[in-house]
Amino acid sequence: MKVPGKAALRPAHLSVFGTLAGVVVIAVFAGLLVAERGREAGEVQEAVAPRYARLAGLRESAAAVEQAAAAATAALDRFAYPVTMSGDRIGTDLQQRLRAAAEAAGVGVINSQIGTGKRQADLEDVPVSMTLEAEIGQLRQMLLAVQTQSGQAPAIFIDSLGIQRQRSRAGDGGRLTVQARFSVLRRVP
């Protein structure tokens, strides 16, 4: 039965209406999906931005970092022997440098011995133990000579210094017996 004044919905109108409703639903879901992906991309960008800025800063400061590394290597060269030299050769060199300083200062070398090196990180300690006999002025002069030598070659470190006054004899002048341990550093691979 027909209702007067109202147009009847035809099956063609229903299919167009259903298709439009489906397209609207799909468009809403696609919009929500795009919005969610955009929000996630924003979060990732916020998380990555500081890392990217640090990386860009590292690239910009690469020359300064290389310059600082070269300065550190030069400083290490002043304080340590290279990897290419053996510990025995370095010990002998140290022993000769110490004996030359002692002889120049008038200090008597009673005994000297190259010790076994101890490894600490990328460096090895090469020690030389010495027993010396001298007056206080001579000992001071020797230690100053050792300090001066440290400016020219890898630095000599005084690990320990034990000083004892010798038994006094008439006219002895205050001789000292000195037990000293000196060391130098060597780079190790």
Side-chain angles (χ1 to χ4, degrees), residues 11-153:
H13 290 151
L14 288 175
S15 70
V16 169
F17 178 71
T19 302
L20 285 176
V23 168
V24 168
V25 168
I26 289 174
V28 167
F29 282 127
L32 291 174
L33 182 64
V34 168
E36 178 65 20
R37 297 287 184 209
R39 186 187 61 76
E40 288 175 359
E43 289 175 359
V44 168
Q45 188 176 11
E46 287 177 15
V48 170
R51 294 178 189 162
Y52 182 77
R54 277 193 304 269
L55 187 60
L58 286 174
R59 284 185 184 156
E60 290 174 7
S61 63
V65 169
E66 288 174 5
Q67 201 172 32
T73 300
L76 186 59
D77 288 342
R78 182 176 173 266
F79 287 104
Y81 281 90
V83 175
T84 55
M85 288 186 73
S86 73
D88 292 337
R89 174 70 186 116
I90 293 169
T92 302
D93 181 54
L94 174 60
Q95 196 173 39
Q96 288 173 353
R97 287 170 61 191
L98 292 170
R99 283 181 175 270
E103 186 178 309
V107 173
V109 178
I110 307 301
N111 181 17
S112 69
Q113 182 178 3
I114 300 170
T116 304
K118 294 180 183 174
R119 186 177 179 149
Q120 300 173 4
D122 292 340
L123 296 172
E124 179 183 24
D125 177 329
V126 180
V128 169
S129 299
M130 299 184 87
T131 303
L132 308 168
E133 187 176 289
E135 293 179 7
I136 190 71
Q138 294 170 325
L139 180 61
R140 182 181 303 124
Q141 187 177 358
M142 178 196 163
L143 294 176
L144 286 173
V146 167
Q147 180 183 9
T148 304
Q149 285 182 7
S150 292
Q152 301 164 359

